[in-house]
């Protein structure tokens, strides 16, 4: 599911820097689609970024529409 969420985020032109946060190795493995993340945690943050940039899921237009459909834009409180 995390991979689908990241793929959706990366498919949007208005998103310039998706923010990813994990609190466990399992979450990181789910996000990047690998089962060997222990060595990644011992390397530089740049290498983790490179793994995230390599997410291989590409959503179809139909999949994007299914995800976008229920969304209703709302005004930000305190702004007109």
């Amino acid at each position: 599911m995390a991979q689908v969420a990241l793929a959706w985020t990366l498919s949007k032109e208005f998103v310039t820097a998706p923010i990813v946060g994990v609190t466990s190795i399992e979450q990181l493995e789910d996000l990047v689609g690998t089962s060997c993340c222990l060595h990644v945690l011992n390397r530089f943050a740049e290498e983790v970024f490179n793994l995230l940039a390599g997410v291989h899921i590409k959503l179809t237009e139909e999949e994007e529409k299914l995800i976008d459909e229920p969304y209703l834009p709302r005004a930000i409180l305190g702004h007109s």
Side-chain angles (χ1 to χ4, degrees):
M1 189 60 151
Q3 290 179 0
V4 172
L6 185 57
W8 177 86
T9 302
L10 294 172
S11 74
K12 301 300 170 195
E13 292 181 14
F14 56 83
V15 177
T16 57
I19 298 171
V20 176
V22 297
T23 58
S24 70
I25 293 171
E26 291 78 17
Q27 288 177 343
L28 181 60
E29 289 172 346
D30 182 40
L31 183 64
V32 298
T34 182
S35 61
C36 56
C37 285
L38 280 177
H39 72 281
V40 173
L41 296 176
N42 294 323
R43 294 184 182 191
F44 297 106
E46 180 179 74
E47 291 179 341
V48 173
F49 177 79
N50 288 337
L51 280 173
L52 295 175
V55 171
H56 57 276
I57 291 179
K58 176 72 174 144
L59 298 176
T60 66
E61 285 185 35
E62 183 179 337
E63 290 168 330
E64 286 183 38
K65 286 179 185 176
L66 286 171
I67 293 170
D68 289 338
E69 247 176 55
Y71 176 72
L72 296 173
R74 298 169 195 230
I76 300 172
L77 293 176
H79 298 278
S80 47

